[in-house]
Amino acid sequence: MKLKNILFFVVLVTILSGCSQIKATGNPNIKENQNHMVEEKKNDSKPQVNQAKYADTISAAGDHSIVVDSKGGLWLWGETATEGESKRVLTPKQVAGVSEVAAVTGDYGYSLFLKKDGTVWGWGNNRYGVLGDGTRIDRIKPVQVTGLEKVKEISSFNDSALALKEDGTVWAWGDRLYGQLGTSREDGEYAAQVPGLAEITAIEAGSSSSIALKKDGTVWAWGYGPQVDIATKGPANTPSQVEGIDQVIDVAAKGDSLLALKKDGTVWEWGGGGPPVKIEGLPKIKLIGLGSTKGYAVDDEGRLWSWKVDETPKLEGGLSNIIQLSAGDDYIMVRDEHGDLWTWGENSHGQLGDGTVESRNTPKKISLTDKEPLEGEYTDRDVFTIKKNDTTVKFSLQFPESWKGKYVIKQYEDQIDIFHNTALENPAWIMNISGATPEEWAASPPDEYPWNKLGEINGVVIVYTQLADQAYESTYVEEEEEVTKMLMDIEDVQLIEADESED
């Protein structure tokens, strides 16, 4: 059975705070330029370092890029998903139906965004519950993270996410494998408060750990990896202070590496098994960032510096007056004080937004001018579709109570696949749902994987095939028990709603 590749992504936005940031409203020195960005009138004083997290109105999210304009609109390009189909968009497109965005974050397959009302929304791949809606169902259009309000900052990496609330508390959801949620809880599809943290001013989600900056300038971490505690060999489920670093005003994380910007403008790095060390060769810095292979820093003149492990920092890009940066996998996006966007680096997915898939090493200005918005057809992934010949039918499914939180759904144009929800690399493939004509259903032979009828909608018979063996065996006891129970109850999967078909 041939599967179609689908990538889901979402869309993210940024918190506009701090005196060196872009702000959409409220500052008489700011006006909107032709690029729908904001432009700040020059004054004699240099921007001040932001005590909290620098505004993230841009996000280099793996194989796609996300930008918030001055009106709170959301723009997206690279690998996207609309109407259930994977689509590569090579130039910026505004996302239809999304407004009042304040901050964005995301990674391969999903996007999250913070709205100005303090709520958090997301869509895309939801295998580990990173969308925080209480399910592990992939979504085509945004759904709200359950139970979160008064949020002022968000951060995510891989399949876990963090939110910083106005009261200085931190909330986490998504993948819990390495303790990056800050507790030993198992319901990662819901956001929950990380215990033991207060007066937090910034957050960063790393590969398998999480980082928080306190008001007193100390850094706290939890999860797995040497950036948490160089003496810890396994997961640390509760936050602890990172030794050897203080007077910090900003942090950045990527993979297993961490950067800290201190009050005196120096940059410190750790994550390789030793304590934080100062990055030599940098002038006074006001902004930091981390990519998959490089560290980045912006100096007081707005110039970008970069370095690799064991290398001396050097100027990159030839730009000045940079006030924002976001680094992805071997590519970078920056915004200057005029509100203009610049991208360069790896471009195999069209994530640079210049209309090509050709990588380049020099910055190019990217404009937000396209008038045709990206639109998805469906409200969310709870409504499924199957196309048979020239007919597309829509329906919903009801799953057994024993399946709750234990399944992952992948929607393709002509079929639906359901897997066991697990952190294992090769999860059990539970069942496939597809469409057949009445004639095909009547003639279907009882082969190794027989069809079972769920229902019929407008001449399309909805059938399912059990793909995992009834006597399921695994080297992992928990997986074997859960999959066996799911297979026992597979006949309880029901077609409960049939909407109008599309011809």
Side-chain angles (χ1 to χ4, degrees):
M1 186 177 297
K2 186 176 180 181
L3 301 180
K4 298 183 179 179
N5 293 326
I6 288 204
L7 297 174
F8 295 97
F9 299 86
V10 213
V11 100
L12 326 104
V13 215
T14 112
I15 297 175
L16 305 172
S17 63
C19 37
S20 64
Q21 302 170 2
I22 290 181
K23 295 190 177 182
T25 60
N27 189 335
N29 290 328
I30 290 181
K31 61 181 181 180
E32 185 175 345
N33 66 15
Q34 69 276 11
N35 198 31
H36 301 292
M37 294 294 105
V38 291
E39 181 176 340
E40 185 169 4
K41 298 177 182 178
K42 292 186 177 181
N43 54 50
D44 295 333
S45 61
K46 293 182 178 179
Q48 299 298 308
V49 176
N50 179 17
Q51 286 296 114
K53 180 77 177 76
Y54 202 85
D56 291 319
T57 49
I58 60 176
S59 178
D63 52 3
H64 67 298
S65 298
I66 308 161
V67 168
V68 184
D69 65 29
S70 65
K71 297 179 179 179
L74 192 61
W75 296 71
L76 179 69
W77 62 91
E79 297 287 352
T80 69
T82 59
E83 299 184 5
E85 293 291 330
S86 177
K87 183 178 181 180
R88 181 174 292 171
V89 177
L90 300 182
T91 57
K93 298 276 188 177
Q94 188 167 9
V95 180
V98 177
S99 62
E100 298 294 313
V101 176
V104 291
T105 185
D107 207 347
Y108 285 90
Y110 72 91
S111 300
L112 299 171
F113 61 94
L114 170 65
K115 298 195 72 172
K116 293 177 182 179
D117 64 4
T119 59
V120 181
W121 299 70
W123 76 84
N125 189 306
N126 197 29
R127 175 176 172 180
Y128 296 100
V130 73
L131 301 185
D133 66 339
T135 76
R136 303 207 174 192
I137 301 173
D138 296 344
R139 306 290 184 175
I140 292 177
K141 281 193 173 182
V143 292
Q144 185 173 352
V145 176
T146 303
L148 272 185
E149 58 182 10
K150 297 183 178 180
V151 174
K152 67 176 185 178
E153 183 185 339
I154 54 176
S155 178
S156 68
F157 191 74
N158 283 353
D159 291 291
S160 60
L162 300 174
L164 174 60
K165 297 184 71 171
E166 293 175 1
D167 61 5
T169 60
V170 178
W171 296 65
W173 65 97
D175 189 9
R176 59 180 174 81
L177 183 62
Y178 298 107
Q180 60 267 52
L181 302 188
T183 66
S184 58
R185 67 190 179 97
E186 298 184 359
D187 56 343
E189 59 269 23
Y190 296 94
Q193 185 175 348
V194 178
L197 290 177
E199 296 187 324
I200 300 301
T201 61
I203 51 174
E204 279 285 319
S207 176
S208 53
S209 62
S210 302
I211 308 294
L213 173 62
K214 292 193 73 171
K215 184 178 179 180
D216 63 6
T218 59
V219 178
W220 294 68
W222 60 100
Y224 185 91
Q227 72 270 37
V228 174
D229 184 344
I230 61 175
T232 298
K233 302 302 180 183
N237 289 327
T238 57
S240 60
Q241 185 177 345
V242 176
E243 302 295 335
I245 190 79
D246 59 9
Q247 298 186 10
V248 175
I249 61 172
D250 202 3
V251 290
K254 179 77 73 172
D256 293 327
S257 298
L258 177 76
L259 288 183
L261 174 62
K262 296 187 70 171
K263 188 176 181 180
D264 61 5
T266 60
V267 179
W268 297 67
E269 183 176 21
W270 68 98
V277 295
K278 181 182 177 181
I279 301 297
E280 301 291 349
L282 287 172
K284 188 175 181 181
I285 297 301
K286 67 175 183 180
L287 177 63
I288 55 175
L290 266 176
S292 57
T293 60
K294 289 182 180 180
Y296 295 94
V298 176
D299 64 24
D300 273 353
E301 297 180 13
R303 301 177 302 174
L304 181 68
W305 297 75
S306 67
W307 66 94
K308 294 183 178 181
V309 176
D310 299 325
E311 290 186 359
T312 301
K314 59 183 179 182
L315 287 170
E316 179 174 332
L319 300 174
S320 60
N321 301 318
I322 294 172
I323 62 170
Q324 234 182 329
L325 74 87
S326 180
D329 285 350
D330 295 319
Y331 83 102
I332 186 170
M333 175 165 49
V334 301
R335 174 179 281 163
D336 64 25
E337 66 176 8
H338 304 295
D340 292 324
L341 298 170
W342 304 79
T343 64
W344 66 98
E346 161 65 27
N347 194 31
S348 58
H349 301 283
Q351 62 266 45
L352 297 187
D354 62 1
T356 76
V357 290
E358 298 178 3
S359 301
R360 51 182 164 76
N361 296 322
T362 56
K364 184 175 182 179
K365 186 187 296 186
I366 305 300
S367 298
L368 307 182
T369 57
D370 201 300
K371 300 301 183 182
E372 297 181 8
L374 286 174
E375 294 191 73
E377 182 182 355
Y378 314 120
T379 302
D380 57 44
R381 186 57 76 190
D382 289 331
V383 177
F384 302 98
T385 64
I386 284 180
K387 184 176 182 180
K388 181 64 179 177
N389 298 328
D390 294 327
T391 302
T392 297
V393 294
K394 301 180 183 180
F395 55 91
S396 296
L397 294 170
Q398 178 174 294
F399 295 100
E401 183 66 24
S402 61
W403 284 34
K404 185 176 181 180
K406 296 181 174 62
Y407 62 90
V408 176
I409 298 177
K410 298 293 183 182
Q411 165 87 71
Y412 305 96
E413 183 180 49
D414 57 0
Q415 65 183 18
I416 298 166
D417 289 328
I418 301 178
F419 299 87
H420 177 228
N421 184 26
T422 174
L424 298 178
E425 184 175 354
N426 297 305
W429 190 358
I430 305 296
M431 66 189 299
N432 167 268
I433 300 174
S434 59
T437 64
E439 294 75 20
E440 289 172 335
W441 164 248
S444 61
D447 57 13
E448 183 180 3
Y449 298 106
W451 281 347
N452 301 274
K453 185 176 180 179
L454 284 172
E456 185 172 341
I457 307 172
N458 289 1
V460 177
V461 182
I462 309 301
V463 298
Y464 77 85
T465 302
Q466 178 179 318
L467 295 174
D469 293 333
Q470 190 69 43
Y472 187 79
E473 295 182 358
S474 172
T475 55
Y476 298 92
V477 175
E478 181 182 3
E479 182 195 32
E480 184 172 312
E481 291 177 348
E482 288 189 353
V483 172
T484 299
K485 178 61 175 172
M486 292 177 72
L487 295 175
M488 289 176 59
D489 297 338
I490 195 170
E491 293 183 359
D492 292 335
V493 176
Q494 298 180 31
L495 187 76
I496 62 170
E497 179 182 330
D499 293 333
E500 72 280 2
S501 66
E502 278 184 10
D503 295 330

